[in-house]
Amino acid sequence: MNSLVGFGSFAAFIISAVSLLDPGLEWDASFFDEPVMLLGFVLLGRSLEERARISASCDMNELLSLISTQSRLVITSSDTGSSADSVLCSDAICIEIPSDDIRVGDSVLVLPGETIPVDGKVLAGRSVVDESMLTGESLPVFKEKDLMVSAGTINWDGPLRIEATSTGSNSTISKIVRMVEDAQGQEAPVQRLADAIAGPFVYSIMTLSAETFAFWYYVGSHIFPDVLLNDIAGPDGDPLLLSLKLAVDVLVVSCPCALGLATPTAILVGTSLGARQGLLIRGADVLERLANIDHVAFDKTGTLTEGKPTVSSVASFTYDESEILQAAAAVERTVTHPIAKAIVNKAELLNLTLPETRGQLFEPGFGTLAEVNGRLVAVGKLEWVSERFQIKASPSALMNLQHALMHRSSSPSNYSKTVVYVGREGEGVIGAIGISDCLRSDAQSTVSRLQQKGIKTILISGDREEAVATIAKTVGIEREFVNASVTPQQKSRVVSTLQTAGHHIAMVGDGINDAPSLALADVGIALQTEAQETAASDAASIILLGNRLSQVVDALDLAQATMSKVYQNLSWAIAYNIVSIPIAAGVLLPQYDIAMTPSFSGGLMALSSIFVVTNSLLLRLHGSEKSRKSNPAKISQMPAGPS
């Protein structure tokens, strides 16, 4: 990038010095003012560019400034029984220490109005927390015991005592800043194209500069003698001075700085803006791929639905409901899948005692198997559970079991209903559990907005066909784009088939069974709950920190706006060179008596770069417009909690 400016300045200085020191050459080509003015304009432009880049990255600086440097460590005696229930027990003491000294497991007190210094779990207290700087959601979020909070968020109403789960560089906000910085340092494919062009471009310009000198010195000044009357030729109308200045003009005015800045400045602004909106984008290439997406595939459980299923009914051939729940909960106790948690939570709600298990086996997308009281118990899909045991239930018995299960269910129609079967060694299938999961409030609007953009929406789920069809119909996904009862491998196959057909796919999911398809898709988008890392978020290219499905459309809009700025910048850089290089070479000189000086060329080149950076900064207006449309409510307008 600096080769042309450096070569032009150096050439102007050397030619002027030789002309001054050896008058016998009769060059009369002393123009020391030109390299000084040229470098002055270039340095001014670089200074303005740097200020613009700092302005573009100020979002990251703001995020870093949110990390509290001091924490209030709570120390209690180990035999205090009430410490787990009260925010601050009578014998507790608080010590102000640097946040870097907090360790995992330490207890921290956060008062109203203070910034939470660490990621952690609420041990005691109730309050609302402003998570807007992390998730992009302007409304505060209610927090109470056992809920997770993140460093950098602000406690508003009441005191909270928090157990640190991650600190310092391991905190969510630090990881966000680090990942965004990594993304900003990566190159998009279109940037690599610009860099590839820049090298040959420089050599071409050097050749064109030499040709410009040769033409005007040996041919042009004789064909068009009036050009020597122009000020650029000096008071004596020297063709050597004219030729040298025009050659230097070509070198300087064509510096490809604008071409080099076109992509990285837009990516810098776009990724920073995404972080402010709760969109964690892993790489500049992700934005480019996302802008070209024509299909979006959704998982069902935890993606289109809330991912917080509850047990709605239990049915069995011969056993009580409590026995079926007890056996199923024992097997599912250590599994993190939402359906497993629903079964365990129901058993705990009924105060059921869970027996010990041995040899647990979890097969993602199918079910869980473990030994309970000396016999194997399987919980999961009907086909998978049936294959575990030799005794098979008759189709009529299974049909009666399903009818009994649905008859006892009282879930409304906007719930996704899933059936989980329970089998036991020596008996086969012994019962079934109905699981209901509520549709996300923004699922239907998100699908509708994507379809309005001309993007096809697909539903891929491992759940049974009836439950998947109900959700698809509710959100507006056509039946031909619904894939039910698929394994994680089959999910990947659906994505791969679409890619083979020439489509660009974004996959949206949240669970471990979505990880293969998230990694395979052109862009994997994961919803993240309570700032916890999962296999899905590890495999995804974009993480929705706000855990809102509508952020899929926000991410798509941001990618399209960013790439639009990139193409605008590249178009400007190319158009600028197409127009300015011929003028610098003297095309307008014979007829219109218009020519550039090297210093003017330097100023024009600097303005070109400043235009590109300024145009990229205008992308921040996209974020302002989004925030105004999404939610005009202000936290300051929220009613104060009880004092």
Side-chain angles (χ1 to χ4, degrees):
M1 294 298 171
N2 296 320
S3 300
L4 297 179
V5 173
F7 190 75
S9 302
F10 184 73
F13 181 82
I14 291 298
I15 292 168
S16 299
V18 171
S19 177
L20 177 66
L21 297 175
D22 191 356
L25 292 175
E26 298 182 352
W27 280 10
D28 192 22
S30 178
F31 46 101
F32 285 105
D33 58 319
E34 297 296 350
V36 175
M37 292 291 289
L38 167 60
L39 292 176
F41 276 122
V42 171
L43 292 176
L44 174 63
R46 295 290 169 84
S47 176
L48 294 174
E49 287 172 23
E50 186 62 25
R51 291 188 63 180
R53 291 162 80 101
I54 291 172
S55 175
S57 61
C58 69
D59 289 330
M60 292 299 96
N61 296 330
E62 288 179 18
L63 282 176
L64 284 171
S65 68
L66 294 173
I67 302 176
S68 178
T69 57
Q70 292 292 117
S71 298
R72 193 176 286 103
L73 179 65
V74 178
I75 300 176
T76 59
S77 59
S78 58
D79 58 349
T80 302
S82 61
S83 61
D85 301 318
S86 59
V87 175
L88 203 62
C89 56
S90 57
D91 67 338
I93 59 173
C94 295
I95 302 175
E96 288 266 354
I97 64 171
S99 296
D100 290 340
D101 292 340
I102 296 294
R103 297 292 178 262
V104 174
D106 285 348
S107 183
V108 177
L109 177 65
V110 183
L111 299 178
E114 293 183 344
T115 300
I116 297 173
V118 294
D119 288 357
K121 181 173 69 173
V122 177
L123 295 177
R126 303 174 70 187
S127 183
V128 292
V129 174
D130 173 16
E131 296 184 338
S132 59
M133 69 291 298
L134 190 66
T135 65
E137 176 57 57
S138 59
L139 292 177
V141 181
F142 177 72
K143 298 293 182 182
E144 61 180 351
K145 185 177 180 181
D146 293 333
L147 293 181
M148 306 299 293
V149 293
S150 299
T153 58
I154 302 173
N155 178 28
W156 279 106
D157 274 355
L160 294 174
R161 184 156 57 87
I162 299 165
E163 179 185 356
T165 57
S166 60
T167 62
S169 60
N170 293 322
S171 66
T172 301
I173 195 167
S174 296
K175 289 179 180 178
I176 291 172
V177 172
R178 190 161 58 248
M179 291 176 69
V180 171
E181 288 175 342
D182 290 343
Q184 291 173 346
Q186 295 179 11
E187 289 185 346
V190 69
Q191 170 66 17
R192 290 194 287 272
L193 175 62
D195 291 345
I197 293 172
F201 177 80
V202 167
Y203 296 115
S204 300
I205 292 301
M206 288 181 175
T207 303
L208 182 60
S209 175
E211 292 174 348
T212 299
F213 173 83
F215 172 80
W216 285 111
Y217 186 70
Y218 294 108
V219 180
S221 58
H222 301 292
I223 297 177
F224 309 107
D226 291 344
V227 299
L228 298 177
L229 300 177
N230 192 283
D231 292 340
I232 196 173
D236 299 326
D238 188 352
L240 177 61
L241 183 61
L242 172 73
S243 304
L244 288 172
K245 286 192 174 183
L246 290 177
V248 172
D249 283 345
V250 173
L251 285 174
V252 174
V253 80
S254 59
C255 177
C257 294
L259 185 65
L261 290 169
T263 299
T265 53
I267 296 297
L268 177 70
V269 178
T271 49
S272 297
L273 187 58
R276 294 287 292 179
Q277 295 178 354
L279 308 171
L280 188 50
I281 301 167
R282 288 174 161 164
D285 56 326
V286 175
L287 285 171
E288 186 171 352
R289 295 200 306 270
L290 182 59
N292 296 321
I293 289 299
D294 55 17
H295 281 65
V296 174
F298 293 96
D299 175 47
K300 181 181 75 69
T301 305
T303 303
L304 288 177
T305 64
E306 291 284 356
K308 298 177 181 178
T310 57
V311 174
S312 57
S313 56
V314 181
S316 174
F317 295 128
T318 55
Y319 294 97
D320 293 336
E321 293 183 7
S322 59
E323 292 181 78
I324 298 297
L325 271 174
Q326 192 175 39
V331 173
E332 300 277 30
R333 181 163 42 188
T334 60
V335 180
T336 59
H337 193 279
I339 290 179
K341 288 184 177 180
I343 295 173
V344 174
N345 290 340
K346 183 67 173 180
E348 292 177 348
L349 187 64
L350 298 176
N351 295 320
L352 300 179
T353 302
L354 303 184
E356 294 295 325
T357 60
R358 295 176 55 191
Q360 187 183 61
L361 172 67
F362 173 58
E363 192 167 344
F366 293 97
T368 312
L369 180 72
E371 183 181 324
V372 181
N373 294 329
R375 286 198 292 176
L376 292 177
V377 174
V379 182
K381 288 186 175 181
L382 176 60
E383 296 80 6
W384 187 82
V385 171
S386 297
E387 289 174 0
R388 303 306 105 185
F389 310 110
Q390 294 181 349
I391 300 177
K392 311 293 183 183
S394 65
S396 60
L398 291 173
M399 187 67 70
N400 292 334
L401 187 64
Q402 287 185 10
H403 283 314
L405 196 67
M406 295 304 170
H407 180 71
R408 299 178 188 180
S409 176
S410 58
S411 300
S413 59
N414 66 330
Y415 277 65
S416 165
K417 302 178 182 66
T418 299
V419 179
V420 175
Y421 291 87
V422 182
R424 182 183 288 164
E425 185 179 6
E427 299 178 76
V429 174
I430 59 174
I433 301 173
I435 307 292
S436 296
D437 189 9
C438 185
L439 189 70
R440 285 180 181 265
S441 59
D442 56 354
Q444 189 171 359
S445 62
T446 298
V447 171
S448 176
R449 289 169 64 190
L450 288 171
Q451 291 173 347
Q452 288 172 6
K453 289 178 173 289
I455 295 175
K456 298 289 186 182
T457 52
I458 305 169
L459 181 54
I460 310 176
S461 175
D463 206 347
R464 62 189 181 86
E465 189 171 347
E466 294 84 353
V468 176
T470 300
I471 291 296
K473 184 177 180 180
T474 304
V475 300
I477 297 178
E478 297 177 15
R479 189 174 185 83
E480 61 181 300
F481 297 116
V482 175
N483 301 269
S485 300
V486 294
T487 65
Q489 292 75 19
Q490 289 172 331
K491 282 186 178 183
S492 299
R493 201 172 299 132
V494 172
V495 173
S496 179
T497 301
L498 289 168
Q499 289 175 323
T500 303
H503 298 296
H504 301 283
I505 315 298
M507 176 70 193
V508 187
D510 75 313
I512 188 172
N513 59 329
D514 300 318
S517 48
L518 286 170
L520 180 64
D522 295 274
V523 178
I525 304 175
L527 293 103
Q528 188 167 355
T529 306
E530 296 182 346
Q532 294 177 347
E533 290 188 3
T534 64
S537 61
D538 288 341
S541 305
I542 299 176
I543 302 174
L544 308 181
L545 296 175
N547 196 31
R548 301 190 308 277
L549 203 60
S550 60
Q551 288 184 298
V552 173
V553 186
D554 295 340
L556 182 62
D557 287 342
L558 177 62
Q560 291 175 341
T562 301
M563 294 314 299
S564 176
K565 288 296 180 186
V566 169
Y567 296 133
Q568 288 173 20
N569 291 344
L570 288 174
S571 299
W572 162 261
I574 294 171
Y576 159 80
N577 281 304
I578 290 175
V579 173
S580 62
I581 291 175
I583 296 175
V587 169
L588 301 180
L589 190 56
Q591 187 171 358
Y592 299 101
D593 198 32
I594 296 176
M596 297 182 185
T597 63
S599 57
F600 181 80
S601 300
L604 198 61
M605 181 270 294
L607 287 174
S608 171
S609 300
I610 294 169
F611 173 86
V612 166
V613 176
T614 304
N615 188 48
S616 296
L617 286 175
L618 292 177
L619 184 60
R620 301 185 73 181
L621 298 178
H622 172 82
S624 302
E625 182 181 351
K626 275 286 178 188
S627 62
R628 285 197 301 270
K629 286 182 178 179
S630 62
N631 202 331
K634 301 294 182 182
I635 291 178
S636 58
Q637 296 172 346
M638 293 295 294
S643 58

